Amino acid sequence: MPQMIHTLRRADLPENGVRTFEVAGAHYLVADIEGEVQAFAVVGPAAEALARAAIAEGRLRCPLH
């Protein structure tokens, strides 16, 4: 199976914000947390709430946790 690469321009990632996407049924989140870009694979019920994920007080916040 060919490897898929998803790219996101730094300019498209809002400061202290998140972008989410799905590839082949897997859910991912990329976040700018106080200027540091971090990426996460999301599994389980949290994947259904990705649209409500946010950065607060320098941390990624999931509405289910």
Side-chain angles (χ1 to χ4, degrees):
M1 173 179 264
Q3 182 178 14
M4 181 177 285
I5 297 174
H6 186 90
T7 59
L8 175 68
R9 295 179 330 137
R10 179 69 176 95
D12 293 335
L13 184 60
E15 185 175 347
N16 289 314
V18 300
R19 292 281 188 221
T20 62
F21 57 95
E22 180 180 344
V23 176
H27 300 272
Y28 301 93
L29 179 141
V30 177
D32 172 338
I33 301 176
E34 298 184 347
E36 183 179 335
V37 176
Q38 298 182 24
F40 304 88
V42 182
V43 297
E48 299 300 320
L50 279 182
R52 297 187 326 230
I55 306 298
E57 299 172 356
R59 301 185 69 153
L60 175 62
R61 302 290 185 188
C62 172
L64 300 181
H65 294 96

